[in-house]
Amino acid sequence: MRFIVEDFAKDILRSALDLIRDRCIMVFPTRASAEIARRSFEPSWNLQEIHWLTMEDFKRVLLAKDTPVMEDEKRLLCLWQILSAEDKEFFHLAQYQDLVEWGGNFFRFLEEFREANRPIEDLVNLSQDPLLYIRAWQEEHLKRIHGIVSDYRSFVEKLGFTDPIFTDLTQQIYIPWEGYRIVFVNQFYFSKLEQNLIALCEASLAEVILLNHEVKHTESSLQKPEFDPRKSNMLE
């Protein structure tokens, strides 16, 4: 893995484009920045194989499944259907419109859990973690959320779908980029999941480059701050 740190006075986009070679994966924090880079490079493109991705694209490619994925509003519709009357009363969800914000927080909470490289099944064990100091009412929330997650999983699987939150982190992940150069541009932190995927890319003989403005990465500084469920809206 190679670390390149550029001074803020330098044009990091130009530096990123200078790293391009044939069979290259360019990974940017946002869709807008990836598109700006692609358009900037287009006039000098010489038929090289180049892929312009966001970090979310990068993860989606490597964690892709054969089963279709439930996304966006379909997620919320399925979630609403599996909530019991007791769950709706407990979380103050009188009508579907009430679910929109709550459901968004619900899925963000579970996505953060996945980014921490923890399987969904670990939800029920959080209350046993002595470092978290989870209170009784928070433990009750976690139990209910775990039950809802189980019901949601059964429901979407019966429909022939899955959800990214159910990614099996123990499965063997195929890396399709052996021998490629993978450049991460201005990515200032990496979740545990992202770290693991990058390590797998490097193990598959891909050349990995981290290009940043000023922030000096080291092997020990890649990690995103620890996921803390106490700070989640789902436990408020």
Side-chain angles (χ1 to χ4, degrees), residues 60 69-79 96 99-100 103-104 107 111 152 162-164:
R60 191 175 296 114
V69 173
M70 193 70 70
E71 293 181 321
D72 303 324
E73 191 172 356
K74 291 179 181 178
R75 276 175 143 185
L76 293 178
L77 290 169
C78 290
L79 182 60
Y96 177 77
L99 179 75
V100 175
F107 285 111
E111 286 161 1
Y152 171 74
T162 187
D163 190 290

Short mmCIF file of all heavy atoms in Angstrom, two decimals, residues 60 69-79 96 99-100 103-104 107 111 152 162-164:
data_model
loop_
_atom_site.label_atom_id
_atom_site.label_comp_id
_atom_site.label_asym_id
_atom_site.label_seq_id
_atom_site.Cartn_x
_atom_site.Cartn_y
_atom_site.Cartn_z
N ARG A 60 -20.13 -1.99 -2.98
CA ARG A 60 -21.24 -2.69 -3.63
C ARG A 60 -20.72 -3.74 -4.62
O ARG A 60 -21.25 -4.85 -4.70
CB ARG A 60 -22.14 -1.70 -4.35
CG ARG A 60 -23.47 -2.30 -4.83
CD ARG A 60 -24.37 -1.23 -5.43
NE ARG A 60 -24.76 -0.24 -4.44
CZ ARG A 60 -24.39 1.03 -4.46
NH1 ARG A 60 -23.63 1.48 -5.45
NH2 ARG A 60 -24.79 1.87 -3.54
N VAL A 69 -31.34 -7.04 -4.34
CA VAL A 69 -31.23 -6.31 -3.08
C VAL A 69 -32.42 -5.37 -2.89
O VAL A 69 -32.81 -4.66 -3.81
CB VAL A 69 -29.91 -5.51 -3.04
CG1 VAL A 69 -29.85 -4.62 -1.82
CG2 VAL A 69 -28.72 -6.46 -3.08
N MET A 70 -32.95 -5.36 -1.68
CA MET A 70 -34.04 -4.45 -1.33
C MET A 70 -33.43 -3.08 -1.02
O MET A 70 -32.50 -2.98 -0.21
CB MET A 70 -34.77 -4.99 -0.11
CG MET A 70 -36.10 -4.31 0.17
SD MET A 70 -37.37 -4.70 -1.05
CE MET A 70 -37.70 -6.43 -0.68
N GLU A 71 -33.95 -2.03 -1.65
CA GLU A 71 -33.38 -0.70 -1.46
C GLU A 71 -34.47 0.36 -1.37
O GLU A 71 -35.62 0.15 -1.74
CB GLU A 71 -32.43 -0.35 -2.62
CG GLU A 71 -31.18 -1.18 -2.69
CD GLU A 71 -30.27 -0.78 -3.84
OE1 GLU A 71 -30.78 -0.47 -4.92
OE2 GLU A 71 -29.05 -0.77 -3.64
N ASP A 72 -34.06 1.52 -0.84
CA ASP A 72 -34.86 2.74 -0.82
C ASP A 72 -36.25 2.52 -0.23
O ASP A 72 -36.39 1.92 0.82
CB ASP A 72 -34.94 3.32 -2.24
CG ASP A 72 -33.56 3.58 -2.82
OD1 ASP A 72 -32.67 3.98 -2.06
OD2 ASP A 72 -33.37 3.38 -4.03
N GLU A 73 -37.31 3.01 -0.91
CA GLU A 73 -38.65 2.98 -0.32
C GLU A 73 -39.19 1.56 -0.17
O GLU A 73 -40.02 1.31 0.71
CB GLU A 73 -39.62 3.82 -1.16
CG GLU A 73 -40.94 4.05 -0.44
CD GLU A 73 -41.85 5.02 -1.15
OE1 GLU A 73 -41.44 5.59 -2.18
OE2 GLU A 73 -42.97 5.21 -0.67
N LYS A 74 -38.71 0.64 -1.00
CA LYS A 74 -39.16 -0.75 -0.86
C LYS A 74 -38.78 -1.30 0.51
O LYS A 74 -39.52 -2.09 1.10
CB LYS A 74 -38.56 -1.62 -1.97
CG LYS A 74 -39.10 -1.31 -3.36
CD LYS A 74 -38.44 -2.18 -4.40
CE LYS A 74 -38.96 -1.85 -5.80
NZ LYS A 74 -38.29 -2.66 -6.85
N ARG A 75 -37.64 -0.87 1.00
CA ARG A 75 -37.23 -1.27 2.34
C ARG A 75 -38.26 -0.83 3.37
O ARG A 75 -38.68 -1.60 4.24
CB ARG A 75 -35.91 -0.60 2.70
CG ARG A 75 -34.64 -1.24 2.25
CD ARG A 75 -33.48 -0.33 2.61
NE ARG A 75 -32.31 -1.07 3.04
CZ ARG A 75 -31.21 -0.50 3.50
NH1 ARG A 75 -31.16 0.81 3.60
NH2 ARG A 75 -30.18 -1.23 3.88
N LEU A 76 -38.66 0.45 3.29
CA LEU A 76 -39.59 1.00 4.26
C LEU A 76 -40.95 0.32 4.17
O LEU A 76 -41.60 0.06 5.19
CB LEU A 76 -39.74 2.51 4.04
CG LEU A 76 -38.51 3.36 4.33
CD1 LEU A 76 -38.79 4.83 4.02
CD2 LEU A 76 -38.06 3.21 5.77
N LEU A 77 -41.39 0.04 2.95
CA LEU A 77 -42.68 -0.63 2.77
C LEU A 77 -42.67 -2.01 3.41
O LEU A 77 -43.64 -2.42 4.07
CB LEU A 77 -43.02 -0.74 1.27
CG LEU A 77 -43.37 0.58 0.57
CD1 LEU A 77 -43.42 0.38 -0.94
CD2 LEU A 77 -44.72 1.11 1.08
N CYS A 78 -41.58 -2.74 3.23
CA CYS A 78 -41.46 -4.07 3.85
C CYS A 78 -41.38 -3.96 5.37
O CYS A 78 -42.00 -4.74 6.09
CB CYS A 78 -40.24 -4.80 3.31
SG CYS A 78 -40.38 -5.31 1.58
N LEU A 79 -40.63 -2.97 5.83
CA LEU A 79 -40.49 -2.77 7.27
C LEU A 79 -41.84 -2.47 7.90
O LEU A 79 -42.17 -3.02 8.97
CB LEU A 79 -39.51 -1.62 7.53
CG LEU A 79 -39.19 -1.29 8.98
CD1 LEU A 79 -38.57 -2.50 9.68
CD2 LEU A 79 -38.24 -0.09 9.07
N TYR A 96 -47.96 5.28 8.33
CA TYR A 96 -46.76 5.03 7.52
C TYR A 96 -45.85 6.25 7.46
O TYR A 96 -44.63 6.12 7.49
CB TYR A 96 -47.17 4.62 6.10
CG TYR A 96 -45.98 4.42 5.18
CD1 TYR A 96 -45.21 3.26 5.27
CD2 TYR A 96 -45.62 5.39 4.24
CE1 TYR A 96 -44.10 3.07 4.44
CE2 TYR A 96 -44.52 5.20 3.41
CZ TYR A 96 -43.77 4.05 3.52
OH TYR A 96 -42.67 3.87 2.70
N LEU A 99 -43.15 6.45 9.82
CA LEU A 99 -42.06 5.49 9.66
C LEU A 99 -40.88 6.06 8.88
O LEU A 99 -39.76 5.58 9.03
CB LEU A 99 -42.59 4.24 8.93
CG LEU A 99 -41.57 3.13 8.65
CD1 LEU A 99 -41.27 2.37 9.95
CD2 LEU A 99 -42.07 2.17 7.59
N VAL A 100 -41.14 7.07 8.05
CA VAL A 100 -40.10 7.54 7.13
C VAL A 100 -38.83 7.95 7.87
O VAL A 100 -37.74 7.45 7.57
CB VAL A 100 -40.64 8.70 6.26
CG1 VAL A 100 -39.52 9.25 5.38
CG2 VAL A 100 -41.80 8.21 5.39
N GLY A 103 -37.66 4.91 10.16
CA GLY A 103 -37.10 3.85 9.33
C GLY A 103 -35.74 4.22 8.76
O GLY A 103 -34.85 3.38 8.66
N GLY A 104 -35.56 5.51 8.42
CA GLY A 104 -34.26 5.96 7.95
C GLY A 104 -33.20 5.79 9.02
O GLY A 104 -32.09 5.30 8.76
N PHE A 107 -32.35 1.94 9.48
CA PHE A 107 -31.42 1.36 8.51
C PHE A 107 -30.03 1.97 8.60
O PHE A 107 -29.03 1.27 8.40
CB PHE A 107 -31.99 1.48 7.09
CG PHE A 107 -33.10 0.51 6.80
CD1 PHE A 107 -34.41 0.94 6.64
CD2 PHE A 107 -32.84 -0.85 6.75
CE1 PHE A 107 -35.43 0.04 6.39
CE2 PHE A 107 -33.87 -1.77 6.50
CZ PHE A 107 -35.16 -1.32 6.33
N GLU A 111 -26.66 -0.10 9.13
CA GLU A 111 -25.55 0.05 8.18
C GLU A 111 -24.26 0.42 8.90
O GLU A 111 -23.18 -0.06 8.54
CB GLU A 111 -25.92 1.11 7.14
CG GLU A 111 -26.95 0.60 6.12
CD GLU A 111 -27.67 1.72 5.39
OE1 GLU A 111 -27.35 2.90 5.66
OE2 GLU A 111 -28.56 1.41 4.58
N TYR A 152 -37.95 -8.78 9.62
CA TYR A 152 -37.71 -8.13 8.32
C TYR A 152 -36.91 -9.05 7.40
O TYR A 152 -37.22 -9.20 6.21
CB TYR A 152 -36.97 -6.81 8.54
CG TYR A 152 -36.49 -6.13 7.28
CD1 TYR A 152 -37.38 -5.49 6.42
CD2 TYR A 152 -35.13 -6.12 6.95
CE1 TYR A 152 -36.93 -4.87 5.26
CE2 TYR A 152 -34.67 -5.51 5.80
CZ TYR A 152 -35.57 -4.88 4.96
OH TYR A 152 -35.13 -4.27 3.81
N THR A 162 -32.78 -9.76 -0.65
CA THR A 162 -31.96 -9.63 0.55
C THR A 162 -31.76 -8.14 0.79
O THR A 162 -32.36 -7.31 0.12
CB THR A 162 -30.60 -10.35 0.39
OG1 THR A 162 -29.91 -10.33 1.64
CG2 THR A 162 -29.74 -9.69 -0.69
N ASP A 163 -30.95 -7.81 1.78
CA ASP A 163 -30.68 -6.41 2.10
C ASP A 163 -29.19 -6.29 2.43
O ASP A 163 -28.62 -7.21 3.01
CB ASP A 163 -31.53 -5.98 3.32
CG ASP A 163 -31.49 -4.48 3.55
OD1 ASP A 163 -30.43 -3.97 3.96
OD2 ASP A 163 -32.51 -3.81 3.32
N PRO A 164 -28.55 -5.17 2.05
CA PRO A 164 -27.12 -5.01 2.34
C PRO A 164 -26.77 -5.18 3.82
O PRO A 164 -25.64 -5.57 4.14
CB PRO A 164 -26.83 -3.59 1.87
CG PRO A 164 -27.85 -3.32 0.81
CD PRO A 164 -29.08 -4.04 1.25
#
